[in-house]
Structure formats: structure tokens, C-alpha cells
Amino acid sequence: MLATNDDGIDAPGLKRLVREIHERGHEVYVVAPKNPQSGMGKSMRMRAEYGEADYPWARKAWWVDSTPASAVYLALHHLLSEKPDVIVSGINRGPNIGLEDLFTSGTVGAAIEGALNGIPSLAVSLATDKGLTEDEYSPAAWAAAELLQHLRSLRPGMLVNLNVPEKPRGVMATRLAWNNYKLRLVGVGGRFEPASHSFRDRYWDTVEGSDVWAVLNGYISLTVIDLEAVRRSSVDLKVAEEILEKIRGRLESRIRVQPRSSSEASV
């Protein structure tokens, strides 16, 4: 099992997670960014220094001076002697809910990298504005450890996004909220800063059944994201064809259109 995060290898959330996994008898390796990499999404940076880390409860650990997704890539293709059966990313300080966080979160980005490599992956976050001590992550660590043993049933290309309130009142299967950020910013000394630092001010799409609604109402949110469904979306292909038909003639008049080969036609 591989553990990583986006808050950096010394973050208390990762330490609490690895300890929980170890105490349940699982062998866990850690490959995580050297420093915090929040908001990096699925970005990759291949030129990276790395080194071994002395990490409690881990079979072996490395720090990587790069992004969370790059840490997973380097773990799978260079640092580990064999691919892990499961990847867990977290525990993030603060929630990762809604479409905006899906594309922005380094925690989720690391899980996406794992899923793209065919490995069942979990992103786990604690919905908190605190998160300074390991003990604060105990509910999320426990929930993640319970879920890990069931990830192997996921189809290739799937990942789970788990968000845990500080004091859960239940658990819900959820969909992603729309939720693009609508934070109010203020200018301070030549730079912009959020007017509020409460995570609750980032989320507005609170339709019941969404991950945002669940977390804001005290429920653990479990969202399954299927990358294969995104890749095979026939609706998107149909829309693309409709757009292309409107501009095909003008485009092809400006480029040299090569006839398709017989091998291309049979694909």
C-alpha cells in the first residue's frame, strides 16, 4: 500500500493515517512531497530531488521535492520495487468537495494519478479549519482505514473521494457538487487574500445529495469518480461532432487534408 498527500511529508494528517493503517496490520510505503503542495491538482513536475525519510510506522519512506501526482508517478515507476495494491492520499487539512476541488486539489490529483495507472485509489480529507495535531485526524484516519480493504472491488480507472467532518453524524454516498469558487477577496499590501479563512465560505452548491451538502450537514461524504466514464462520454463526442461540422470546411480549406489509411479506417 502506498500513502502520499499534498500537505507535505511532515503533515500530521499523513502521520495519523499511516499509523492507523500500520496498526491494522497493513504494510505501507510513503512517498510524499517534501513541502506543502496544496492546490497543485494533477500537475506533474518530473525534475525533482528526492531522499529517504525516517518515517514511523512505514515500511520505507521517501520525500520528493515535487507535486503530489509526481510523487505517485515516481513511486510507481522508480522508487517501489513492485506496484502497490492500493493508494491512499491524505489526510488533507480541509475538505475537497465539488468540481472545483476535484480539479484543484493536490490530494485528489495524487489519487487520480493512481487511478490512471490502474490502481484503486482513495483521496481522504478532514473538513476542518484546525488540523494542527495528529489526534484531530483520528475520525478521518479510522474511516479511511475501514474503506481501504474494499477499494479492490473498484473497476480500473475509478477512485474514491472521502471527506470526513470533525464530528460525523453519519455517512452518505454522494455526487459531486458544481461549486466553482466564489470567495470574496480583499487587497492587502499589494496582494489579494480571502476575506474569510473558513472553509465553509468556499462552498455554495448545497443541493441535497451532493458532497458539499453532506459535509456541511455533518455527514461523511463518499464519492466515486469514474475516469473511464469521462473518457468514453458519447455525449461529449456528439457535441464535438456537431461543433466540428460547422467549421470543418473552413478548417480543411486551410490545411492539407491527408486521406485516411486503411489501418486508420479500421480502428
Side-chain angles (χ1 to χ4, degrees), residues 11-13 15-17 19 57 131-139 141:
K15 291 180 178 178
R16 182 65 186 88
L17 175 65
R19 188 179 85 190
W57 312 293
L132 301 177
T133 68
E134 288 186 36
D135 286 344
E136 290 176 286
Y137 292 89
S138 292

Side-chain angles (χ1 to χ4, degrees), residues 1 18 20-28 57 85 145 148-149 152:
M1 187 177 301
V18 173
E20 183 73 29
I21 297 171
H22 170 78
E23 289 176 349
R24 292 181 181 231
H26 300 292
E27 187 173 71
V28 57
W57 312 293
D85 56 348
L148 281 174
Q149 60 184 324
R152 296 173 183 85

